[in-house]
Amino acid sequence: MKQKIAIANDHAGTLLKKDLKTFLENAGYELVNFGTDSEASVDYPDYVHPAVESIEEGKCDLGILICGSAQGVAITANKHKTIRAAVCWQTEIAALARQHNNANVLCLPARFISVDEAKEIAQVFLKTEFEGGRHLDRVNKISSCCP
């Protein structure tokens, strides 16, 4: 069964999303587009919340969010109790976000990485598994503080 990936972006991430979406679909992933397809200015929370809600509801397995710096989408996504969104600009960071933090949302900074880098980072993120073990207790403490 294909992994279903929620993808969302603001205006700064539109071009990167287009290339990344095509690449990932060709690699066998099913992508659900929650983002804008325009470069006209929009508010990223309007796209982030529905995308991460699809993960919380089990409709999508993982997510990819894209904006200029990746910070805004990450902050927004991390307001959701079961979401662990990680800003990644290198493959090693993406791997560790999955292995050690069980991140379920990848946040890409469109203004700071190339399309080829985004493809590599996304592939690593989507293929890397959570290690569990000593990391499980730490990850469980992330959302235990808040109702």
Side-chain angles (χ1 to χ4, degrees), residues 7-18 33-38 42-44 46-48 51 64-67 73:
I7 191 164
N9 60 287
D10 70 358
H11 52 280
T14 298
L15 296 178
L16 179 60
K17 180 194 67 180
K18 180 182 175 195
N33 183 12
F34 290 91
T36 183
D37 292 320
S38 169
V42 296
D43 298 331
Y44 52 80
D46 295 340
Y47 301 94
V48 171
I64 298 174
L65 305 175
I66 309 166
C67 74
V73 293

Side-chain angles (χ1 to χ4, degrees), residues 20-64:
L20 186 60
K21 186 175 181 290
T22 300
F23 172 76
L24 292 173
E25 286 172 340
N26 289 337
Y29 295 96
E30 180 181 347
L31 275 86
V32 180
N33 183 12
F34 290 91
T36 183
D37 292 320
S38 169
E39 292 180 67
S41 184
V42 296
D43 298 331
Y44 52 80
D46 295 340
Y47 301 94
V48 171
H49 290 302
V52 299
E53 286 167 2
S54 74
I55 298 166
E56 291 179 311
E57 295 166 0
K59 295 176 182 173
C60 290
D61 302 305
L62 296 170
I64 298 174

Side-chain angles (χ1 to χ4, degrees), residues 11-142:
H11 52 280
T14 298
L15 296 178
L16 179 60
K17 180 194 67 180
K18 180 182 175 195
D19 289 335
L20 186 60
K21 186 175 181 290
T22 300
F23 172 76
L24 292 173
E25 286 172 340
N26 289 337
Y29 295 96
E30 180 181 347
L31 275 86
V32 180
N33 183 12
F34 290 91
T36 183
D37 292 320
S38 169
E39 292 180 67
S41 184
V42 296
D43 298 331
Y44 52 80
D46 295 340
Y47 301 94
V48 171
H49 290 302
V52 299
E53 286 167 2
S54 74
I55 298 166
E56 291 179 311
E57 295 166 0
K59 295 176 182 173
C60 290
D61 302 305
L62 296 170
I64 298 174
L65 305 175
I66 309 166
C67 74
S69 69
Q71 299 299 340
V73 293
I75 291 167
T76 303
N78 281 320
K79 295 293 182 185
H80 293 255
K81 187 173 182 175
T82 62
I83 298 299
R84 291 170 306 282
V87 176
C88 300
W89 59 95
Q90 296 176 333
T91 55
E92 296 85 0
I93 294 169
L96 287 172
R98 291 285 294 139
Q99 291 169 339
H100 293 186
N101 309 116
N102 200 16
N104 52 8
V105 175
L106 169 64
C107 300
L108 295 172
R111 293 185 176 135
F112 297 93
I113 60 173
S114 68
V115 171
D116 287 339
E117 288 170 322
K119 290 174 182 178
E120 290 177 28
I121 293 164
Q123 273 192 310
V124 167
F125 185 87
L126 296 174
K127 290 182 178 182
T128 302
E129 297 290 330
F130 178 50
E131 288 180 357
R134 71 182 195 274
H135 305 292
L136 181 60
D137 287 338
R138 297 170 186 156
V139 169
N140 287 338
K141 289 179 181 182
I142 294 171

